[in-house]
Amino acid sequence: MILGIESSCDDSSVALLRIDDLAQILHKKISQEEAHSVYGGVVPELAARLHTQALPALLNDIKPYFKQIKAIAITNEPGLSVSLIGGVSMAKALSISLKIPLIAINHLVGHIYSLFLGNEIALPLGILLVSGGHTMVLDIDENKNISIIAKTTDDSFGESFDKAAKMMGLGYPGGQIIGNYARECKDKDRFSFTIPLLGDKRLEYSFSGLKNQVRLQIQSLENLTQKDISDISFAFEKTACAHIMDKLKRIFNERKFKRFGVVGGASANPVLRDSLKDLCKNSNCELLLAPLEFCSDNAMMIARAGREKFLNDEFTCYKDLKISPKTSKLRL
Ligand code: KG4
Ligand code: ZN
């Protein structure tokens, strides 16, 4: 089995994946969402402290399988340094005591593997990655090389939901909360926000202007009612998704993808999923979606990425395994 460990942000998670048939043997996750909710975002110092409690607890669940583990796949970048260090330290200690090799996994690459948890990878592949830290459109060729076609110049898609939720005092993470309020909206034409960079030829995303439009709308209303929140949430979600789709349509016109996947925590967004289904259907392109359970951060996707590297003998020497808040070269 491959042991996957993930601690790049506010989730501590471990998973065991069988190498031969990709059977998912165990998946445990301790989320810190409630602890960060009062602050409207992840507080690094708190995240680090909670990882030091959660990771040893998760280790107990793995103990019965120690003898069957052939390698440890560990997220070492990108993420919060103070969070990454917790998982990496545990992985290194286990590697020494159990005498098994380490495999360093880029968190974004891990998200891409969430599309292939139960099957072998299929390439070439286009990807939309939407998480709390990233918004990117990627092209992956047959040789696993990844090129970035578009990315955000400021906030990410998921982060813009978190910030909109924070401005309305709704807690963290904002994605699902905003979505739930949007579904309650009965007055769909009440507010309308401008789609960022509409008509602009640049293939890039920007969510800071939309965030500002939401802020000004909130300020113009004296006391926010539940109805106000639902109506703003609806208009915001619609505009954020329209921005993603506007640039994607242009990209689809330029590149004829045969296969396209959407990954990352925000890929659970139902409005985005429906729009992508339409785009792919009209473009004769197969749409790949990860199971909802594995859209947000989890160690199973890390174990899955590790299994691929294990089969290719791509191990990481103990001394070379370093953490980094930023991403180095992306490669599947
Ligand atoms: O991938 P993830 O679990 O963590 C990072 O790697 O960042 O993504 C978390 C992000 C948060 O910003 C959260 O608000 C967003 O994904 N998210 C959503 C939805 N569910 C989670 N954003 C929009 N719509 C959703 N349904
Ligand atoms: Zn993530």
Side-chain angles (χ1 to χ4, degrees):
M1 291 175 196
I2 302 287
L3 166 62
I5 303 176
E6 158 65 40
S7 76
S8 65
C9 189
D10 59 340
D11 291 305
S12 320
S13 178
V14 293
L16 288 166
L17 183 78
R18 203 155 59 200
I19 295 165
D20 291 350
D21 60 359
L22 296 172
Q24 295 169 15
I25 307 301
L26 179 141
H27 174 229
K28 296 265 166 153
K29 170 160 144 174
I30 298 178
S31 173
Q32 308 176 356
E33 283 173 3
E34 224 180 293
H36 297 288
S37 186
V38 282
Y39 303 104
V42 177
V43 180
E45 204 271 339
L46 179 59
R49 194 149 26 95
L50 293 175
H51 280 305
T52 62
Q53 291 165 12
L55 287 167
L58 292 172
L59 188 61
N60 271 332
D61 295 314
I62 303 296
K63 267 187 191 151
Y65 301 92
F66 272 179
K67 287 210 172 94
Q68 288 152 274
I69 300 172
K70 297 277 178 256
I72 303 166
I74 171 70
T75 308
N76 71 320
E77 63 167 37
L80 291 172
S81 299
V82 290
S83 291
L84 287 164
I85 194 81
V88 167
S89 303
M90 186 166 97
K92 284 189 172 185
L94 274 179
S95 159
I96 292 171
S97 58
L98 302 178
K99 297 188 176 57
I100 42 177
L102 292 161
I103 303 171
I105 302 295
N106 176 291
H107 180 78
L108 309 182
V109 170
H111 272 301
I112 296 171
Y113 273 99
S114 67
L115 298 173
F116 302 111
L117 289 174
N119 49 336
E120 298 301 331
I121 54 172
L123 299 175
L125 175 68
I127 289 282
L128 170 67
L129 170 73
V130 274
S131 69
H134 296 82
T135 299
M136 287 175 169
V137 182
L138 306 169
D139 196 350
I140 310 175
D141 69 15
E142 282 94 345
N143 299 318
K144 299 186 175 177
N145 297 309
I146 304 179
S147 48
I148 300 173
I149 305 171
K151 60 181 180 180
T152 181
T153 52
D154 42 58
D155 294 345
S156 74
F157 178 74
E159 186 182 12
S160 71
F161 280 74
D162 297 336
K163 290 186 173 168
K166 187 176 180 182
M167 287 188 276
M168 293 190 276
L170 303 179
Y172 169 88
Q176 220 172 347
I177 306 176
I178 294 267
N180 291 342
Y181 272 102
R183 246 54 83 217
E184 297 291 309
C185 173
K186 305 266 183 311
D187 202 350
K188 299 190 170 155
D189 296 322
R190 181 169 165 214
F191 299 120
S192 86
F193 299 126
T194 309
I195 300 172
L197 301 175
L198 193 65
D200 188 312
K201 286 209 163 53
R202 278 173 295 175
L203 283 180
E204 58 189 38
Y205 289 107
S206 167
F207 291 91
S208 62
L210 176 58
K211 179 181 65 183
N212 217 26
Q213 292 183 64
V214 172
R215 187 177 59 80
L216 293 172
Q217 191 60 73
I218 294 168
Q219 278 173 2
S220 75
L221 300 161
E222 271 178 13
N223 284 315
L224 274 193
T225 62
Q226 295 294 303
K227 180 179 182 315
D228 294 336
I229 294 174
S230 292
D231 295 347
I232 292 174
S233 296
F234 177 82
F236 163 76
E237 183 182 57
K238 186 176 147 191
T239 313
C241 292
H243 179 33
I244 293 281
M245 295 312 296
D246 171 48
K247 299 294 176 190
L248 260 191
K249 278 178 195 153
R250 292 231 342 257
I251 292 169
F252 266 65
N253 278 338
E254 283 172 17
R255 297 168 190 244
K256 304 285 171 213
F257 291 117
K258 274 199 252 154
R259 212 174 283 112
F260 194 82
V262 53
V263 297
S267 70
N269 186 283
V271 178
L272 188 63
R273 282 189 167 218
D274 284 350
S275 309
L276 279 165
K277 279 177 196 161
D278 288 345
L279 177 64
C280 286
K281 199 172 157 208
N282 295 335
S283 311
N284 233 338
C285 169
E286 183 191 0
L287 176 64
L288 307 184
L289 298 166
L292 285 177
E293 181 195 355
F294 295 116
C295 286
S296 57
D297 292 349
N298 67 87
M300 193 57 86
M301 66 186 195
I302 304 302
R304 177 64 186 85
R307 184 265 197 180
E308 208 69 18
K309 289 190 186 274
F310 178 86
L311 295 180
N312 292 326
D313 287 332
E314 289 177 54
F315 299 105
T316 314
C317 167
Y318 177 93
K319 283 192 217 124
D320 297 337
L321 180 56
K322 306 235 161 42
I323 58 160
S324 168
K326 293 226 158 59
T327 219
S328 54
K329 194 175 182 302
L330 280 176
R331 208 187 121 75
L332 223 57

